[in-house]
Amino acid sequence: RIEQDELRGNIMARSSNTQFALLGMLSFEPQSAYDMKKEMKQSTAFFWSESDGQIYPALHKMLDAGLVQVCDQEGGRDSKIVYEITEAGRQALRDWLEIPPLKKTIRNELLLKIFFGGNTSPDVIARHLSHQSYSFKEELRILDHEILPMIEQFKDSPHYPYWVMTLEHGVDLLKAKIAWAEKAENTLKKIDKD
Amino acid sequence: RIEQDELRGNIMARSSNTQFALLGMLSFEPQSAYDMKKEMKQSTAFFWSESDGQIYPALHKMLDAGLVQVCDQEGGRDSKIVYEITEAGRQALRDWLEIPPLKKTIRNELLLKIFFGGNTSPDVIARHLSHQSYSFKEELRILDHEILPMIEQFKDSPHYPYWVMTLEHGVDLLKAKIAWAEKAENTLKKIDKD
DNA sequence: TGAACCATGTAAGCCGTTACATGATTCG
DNA sequence: CGAATCATGTAACGGCTTACATGGTTCA
């Protein structure tokens, strides 16, 4: 049992960002777990999401740690549990923001299939590319026509420029992916002719 | 115990691609586990990697399933276990290649920190961006100056065009990321002045 | 009332990494 | 010989999703 505790103390490389994602959401305004999940779907979904099984236990731990507190709401008869971030929570969030993001091992299933694409016929891969292309364009449309107008209403918020940055990351990378996919499709057409 | 088996049968959505990554490597040539790990580091590292704890058990399962077999090597006194892909393995690989890659939930820690960047000072985020920019450029250099020349020697292989595609994906996306990071840094400089 | 959704929560179980263990080989 | 690397393998553990469970609210 002693060994286990020592192990836990030593490792600590594998740490979850769930708590900080939630603290961040609460830094904007007090919310319930359900609200945060919904808001993430509408804002960070393109680069971050959390599942139920992560959110609820994390909030309980954060309560114990004093990073958040339950916010008594007017009207009281609501079944929602609204959390608000504490000063300790804000400090924890600031501390986390200072830590350089660490490189996570990326796994891209599309690229893996392309890398081994020589084992099947070119049109199998071409089909994947065209589907992906379609998805990318659809995502781009959502960013441009749904997310962008939505955050436009927060133009005066100090958070606005940061939200735009993440949005632009999505837009710029999707454009690059679309261009790449079309280039790759053309390459495959030439292979098919041979 | 019955419920567990039923559960396993029903779920199957969460499936590991480890076996297929290994089958793919073996589709090029018979290799040992150690060789595959090394080769992945030199080829697919930018979009796929596997760890020891995944590779060795996966190979054992694949042996049992008849997807690979141990290849007797000349000279025999080697401590390596060289695997080769069987016809069943090639078929499994082809079947897998046909399945459209499914959307994985992406988690980008950099973007998460930027999204919540309003909670700290702009130069904290600017520092992250400049570090990332540096990393991106270094990765781009590796792709251009190490990976590209290396695969050039396989110009006549049927796999070559596919390898180039994955390489170009890396190059194109890194360029987009670098441009985005520099744009974002400039935005932050303007915030700082206000 | 019934359907749809709101809302919270838990348990099971796979995924994947890391640390550790073990021994062979190579080479200065 | 000793160090580095080659080479295979396992155990432990945290991360995360999914399925399930439960009950409240809204509204046609």
Side-chain angles (χ1 to χ4, degrees):
Chain A
R1 59 212 93 264
I2 288 169
E3 306 139 38
Q4 284 191 7
D5 289 340
E6 282 176 4
L7 222 47
R8 281 189 202 151
N10 289 338
I11 293 179
M12 265 295 106
R14 230 169 345 181
S15 75
S16 173
N17 287 315
T18 299
Q19 294 196 26
F20 301 108
L22 297 172
L23 281 179
M25 285 295 158
L26 292 175
S27 78
F28 300 145
E29 59 175 344
Q31 292 176 84
S32 70
Y34 193 87
D35 291 337
M36 285 187 258
K37 215 179 78 179
K38 229 172 48 180
E39 204 180 301
M40 278 188 187
K41 242 177 213 162
Q42 291 166 4
S43 58
T44 68
F46 282 88
F47 58 87
W48 204 267
S49 62
E50 296 287 351
S51 59
D52 289 5
Q54 293 276 98
I55 292 178
Y56 291 101
L59 281 168
H60 295 164
K61 276 181 215 157
M62 291 155 74
L63 254 182
D64 288 346
L67 304 178
V68 298
Q69 60 194 25
V70 173
C71 173
D72 288 330
Q73 57 246 269
E74 340 69 55
R77 57 167 178 69
D78 215 340
S79 64
K80 272 190 195 176
I81 301 171
V82 177
Y83 295 90
E84 67 184 336
I85 191 170
T86 63
E87 190 42 51
R90 289 199 184 273
Q91 188 55 50
L93 180 59
R94 280 193 296 266
D95 290 345
W96 171 76
L97 284 169
E98 301 244 357
I99 302 168
L102 36 84
K103 195 134 285 171
K104 294 266 288 200
T105 58
I106 299 161
R107 290 186 162 205
N108 187 323
E109 197 181 325
L110 172 66
L111 289 186
L112 190 64
K113 291 196 176 183
I114 291 177
F115 192 73
F116 300 134
N119 288 286
T120 188
S121 66
D123 60 278
V124 168
I125 305 300
R127 205 152 53 235
H128 292 334
L129 282 170
S130 96
H131 285 156
Q132 291 281 328
S133 219
Y134 180 83
S135 297
F136 293 154
K137 283 172 188 165
E138 175 59 16
E139 285 174 25
L140 187 56
R141 194 193 61 72
I142 292 173
L143 287 181
D144 274 339
H145 293 78
E146 291 178 24
I147 314 266
L148 181 59
M150 187 184 61
I151 68 172
E152 212 62 22
Q153 70 187 101
F154 301 106
K155 227 179 173 91
D156 298 325
S157 160
H159 298 294
Y160 178 75
Y162 294 97
W163 296 351
V164 171
M165 273 178 220
T166 59
L167 179 71
E168 283 181 342
H169 182 276
V171 170
D172 293 351
L173 261 71
L174 279 173
K175 283 179 181 169
K177 284 181 192 176
I178 292 165
W180 165 81
E182 284 173 354
K183 182 171 61 177
E185 267 196 90
N186 286 333
T187 304
L188 287 176
K189 276 178 199 158
K190 279 175 203 155
I191 296 177
D192 238 353
K193 268 184 241 164
D194 300 344
Chain B
R1 61 209 87 268
I2 289 169
E3 305 141 39
Q4 283 189 9
D5 289 339
E6 282 177 6
L7 221 49
R8 279 189 203 151
N10 289 338
I11 293 181
M12 265 297 108
R14 229 170 347 180
S15 74
S16 173
N17 287 315
T18 300
Q19 294 195 26
F20 300 109
L22 297 172
L23 281 180
M25 286 294 159
L26 292 176
S27 78
F28 299 145
E29 59 175 345
Q31 293 176 81
S32 70
Y34 192 87
D35 291 336
M36 286 186 258
K37 215 180 78 180
K38 229 173 49 182
E39 203 179 301
M40 279 188 187
K41 242 178 212 160
Q42 290 166 5
S43 59
T44 67
F46 282 88
F47 57 88
W48 204 269
S49 61
E50 297 286 352
S51 59
D52 289 4
Q54 294 276 100
I55 291 178
Y56 291 100
L59 281 168
H60 294 165
K61 275 180 216 157
M62 289 154 74
L63 253 182
D64 289 346
L67 305 177
V68 299
Q69 60 194 26
V70 173
C71 173
D72 287 331
Q73 57 246 263
E74 341 67 57
R77 53 164 184 68
D78 214 340
S79 63
K80 273 189 194 179
I81 300 171
V82 178
Y83 295 91
E84 68 183 335
I85 190 169
T86 63
E87 190 43 51
R90 289 200 185 272
Q91 190 54 51
L93 180 59
R94 279 192 297 267
D95 290 345
W96 172 76
L97 284 169
E98 301 244 358
I99 303 168
L102 37 84
K103 196 133 281 163
K104 295 269 289 201
T105 57
I106 299 161
R107 291 186 159 205
N108 186 322
E109 195 180 326
L110 173 66
L111 289 185
L112 191 64
K113 291 197 175 182
I114 291 176
F115 192 74
F116 300 135
N119 289 286
T120 188
S121 65
D123 59 277
V124 169
I125 304 300
R127 205 154 51 235
H128 293 334
L129 282 170
S130 96
H131 285 157
Q132 291 280 329
S133 220
Y134 179 83
S135 297
F136 293 154
K137 283 173 188 165
E138 174 60 15
E139 286 174 25
L140 186 56
R141 194 193 61 72
I142 292 173
L143 287 181
D144 275 337
H145 292 79
E146 291 178 24
I147 314 266
L148 180 60
M150 187 185 60
I151 67 171
E152 212 61 23
Q153 68 187 102
F154 301 106
K155 226 179 175 94
D156 298 325
S157 161
H159 298 293
Y160 178 75
Y162 295 97
W163 296 351
V164 171
M165 275 178 217
T166 59
L167 179 72
E168 282 181 343
H169 182 276
V171 170
D172 293 352
L173 261 72
L174 280 172
K175 283 179 180 168
K177 284 182 192 174
I178 291 165
W180 165 80
E182 285 172 354
K183 181 171 62 177
E185 267 196 89
N186 286 333
T187 304
L188 286 175
K189 275 177 198 157
K190 279 175 202 155
I191 296 178
D192 238 354
K193 268 186 236 158
D194 300 342

